Amino acid sequence: MKSKRLRMSAACLVLTLLAGFSSAQAVDEGEWINLFDGETLYGWSALGDGNWSVADGQIALTEGDSGFIATTAQFADFELKATLRVTGQGTASVAFRAPLSGHAQEEGGGVVYLAAGEDNVAFSEVHIRALGNDVQAFLNGTPVAVAVSRPVGHIAVQFQKYHRDRRGPRVEVKEVKLRPLALRPLFNGENLDGWNIIPDRASVFSVIEGALNIKDGNGQIETVETFRDFIVQMDIISNGEHLNSGVFFRGPVGVFWKGYEAQVRNQWMRDDRERPVDFGTGGIYGVNPARKVVSTDHEWFNMTIVCRGNHMAVWVDGYQVSDFTDTRPVDPGADGKNGYVPDAGTIHLQGHDPATDLSFKNIHIQEYPGN
């Protein structure tokens, strides 16, 4: 009887540990975002002499001796899945935490190589999980060795044709998607611990069913901590028609509506979601309109903001809607509408006007190392 009780206790302990592991994993792993939208090269920069284009839902390279295409955004800890193939005479590779020099491996980035196959070869699956110094990479399910010393960088597809061979490689990329790892919560879903409310404003802030709700006029609630370079994800819902709000970042502590703003406004002109009203949800307010309004009022949507150095980008439900590199002089007032804001600041949520009624939940962040 005693041994049976011990076995039952051990089983309960295992289940408890597994449940705790599952919960931790759920917090640690973020939402997937698409780095390739299947239609355009939005969010990518092509370097070298390669002729990159999009056709039939794929990024294709058909000419050139060498070069690469890289995301404009940078990533640190993540899981990446890419589907691609290379045919002809040459090699291709997926690089990560890469610089823009084109020499990823020489400068500390990770590289997974694919040798060219015969025509009509099957697509290959590259799977990478990078968490600090723990980096695992797989090609079609088989582990491959990678050496990485850079903590953050771009995702890139590189190619090189064989020396003196006129038949360069043909590279085709069907999918590139990523989700951040090592996220930590900024909002606990129970109270407003870790947040400060700017006083003497009209907004009412509360926690309703695990979400941070904002109502009734202009106001601001901001993180106690400050952040400079990061990826942040959250779920948002607009509980009314075409309501106006925003997620600000790099805002000076205690200063009203400064820093950059990722707009929240699910409104577009006529029946065309590619014509956003007032910069549209995910647009960088004042400087970079959303190229498409993906989200809809009365429906939860996920927003992802990546900010490093003078570059920032926003995804809504996994679709990249804005991409902005700030080359303007520094604005001494730290207003992202007027100039570059280089310093760390708060992340704050905006109450805009008396019609405001929005909710935010699952707010998580991964800070990038260094500057």
Side-chain angles (χ1 to χ4, degrees):
M1 188 69 178
K2 182 178 180 181
S3 62
K4 183 177 180 180
R5 286 176 180 167
L6 287 173
R7 286 195 300 270
M8 291 177 65
S9 297
C12 290
L13 177 60
V14 169
L15 289 173
T16 300
L17 290 173
L18 287 175
F21 176 78
S22 175
S23 176
Q25 288 292 95
V27 171
D28 180 67
E29 297 175 345
E31 299 293 329
W32 289 96
I33 58 174
N34 293 305
L35 302 184
F36 170 47
D37 63 15
E39 300 173 341
T40 70
L41 293 176
Y42 192 84
W44 294 81
S45 295
L47 297 97
D49 66 356
N51 181 20
W52 300 89
S53 61
V54 177
D56 301 322
Q58 299 173 10
I59 299 174
L61 166 78
T62 54
E63 297 178 3
D65 292 335
S66 63
F68 70 109
I69 187 170
T71 58
T72 54
Q74 299 186 58
F75 304 94
D77 292 334
F78 57 83
E79 183 175 4
L80 177 79
K81 292 184 179 180
T83 304
L84 69 163
R85 68 179 171 186
V86 53
T87 55
Q89 298 295 314
T91 62
S93 60
V94 175
F96 57 99
R97 292 184 183 167
L100 292 179
S101 64
H103 305 289
Q105 192 168 38
E106 294 84 349
E107 297 184 39
V111 181
V112 177
Y113 289 96
L114 294 84
E118 300 299 327
D119 290 343
N120 300 318
V121 70
F123 279 84
S124 293
E125 302 286 342
V126 174
H127 183 193
I128 298 163
R129 189 175 175 92
L131 186 59
N133 295 325
D134 182 9
V135 177
Q136 299 172 315
F138 302 85
L139 178 60
N140 295 323
T142 301
V144 294
V146 290
V148 186
S149 59
R150 291 176 64 94
V152 61
H154 304 267
I155 307 298
V157 178
Q158 304 178 131
F159 77 96
Q160 177 71 54
K161 82 173 187 179
Y162 292 147
H163 185 57
R164 293 181 181 178
D165 197 309
R166 294 182 179 179
R167 295 176 297 163
R170 176 179 174 85
V171 181
E172 299 162 281
V173 184
K174 280 205 301 189
E175 179 184 62
V176 188
K177 64 180 184 178
L178 175 148
R179 65 175 172 180
L181 303 176
L183 294 167
R184 65 181 178 90
L186 293 179
F187 169 57
N188 61 25
E190 298 177 355
N191 53 50
L192 300 180
D193 290 353
W195 294 79
N196 289 328
I197 297 171
I198 299 294
D200 303 321
R201 295 287 175 174
S203 289
V204 175
F205 301 94
S206 62
V207 178
I208 301 174
E209 296 181 350
L212 195 165
N213 180 256
I214 307 175
K215 286 183 179 177
D216 297 343
N218 68 14
Q220 174 177 317
I221 186 169
E222 64 183 27
T223 56
V224 172
E225 297 179 82
T226 59
F227 308 94
R228 185 180 190 271
D229 298 329
F230 57 83
I231 181 169
V232 65
Q233 291 189 321
M234 65 187 71
D235 295 327
I236 307 171
I237 190 170
S238 170
N239 300 307
E241 300 297 321
H242 311 321
L243 300 184
N244 196 331
S245 182
V247 178
F248 286 70
F249 50 100
R250 290 192 182 170
V253 175
V255 180
F256 193 61
W257 291 6
K258 296 296 183 181
Y260 296 102
E261 177 188 0
Q263 173 72 306
V264 177
R265 185 162 182 174
N266 304 325
Q267 187 177 5
W268 50 93
M269 297 179 64
R270 298 177 184 173
D271 294 324
D272 189 354
R273 284 181 178 262
E274 294 183 359
R275 299 177 65 188
V277 171
D278 203 20
F279 287 83
T281 296
I284 308 298
Y285 191 80
V287 292
N288 188 223
R291 61 176 175 141
K292 181 179 181 179
V293 181
V294 176
S295 49
T296 302
D297 290 328
H298 305 289
E299 296 178 7
W300 284 99
F301 63 90
N302 181 262
M303 178 179 283
T304 300
I305 302 170
V306 174
C307 179
R308 186 167 194 255
N310 69 337
H311 179 265
M312 56 214 69
V314 181
W315 285 255
V316 176
D317 283 341
Y319 181 90
Q320 188 173 354
V321 297
S322 62
D323 186 74
F324 180 61
T325 301
D326 198 342
T327 59
R328 301 170 299 170
V330 171
D331 176 49
D335 190 334
K337 296 187 293 298
N338 298 327
Y340 178 45
V341 181
D343 298 326
T346 66
I347 293 172
H348 60 267
L349 310 178
Q350 179 193 52
H352 187 270
D353 55 65
T356 296
D357 184 359
L358 293 102
S359 297
F360 302 78
K361 66 180 181 179
N362 300 324
I363 307 172
H364 295 93
I365 195 167
Q366 177 202 122
E367 298 174 75
Y368 287 175
N371 293 324

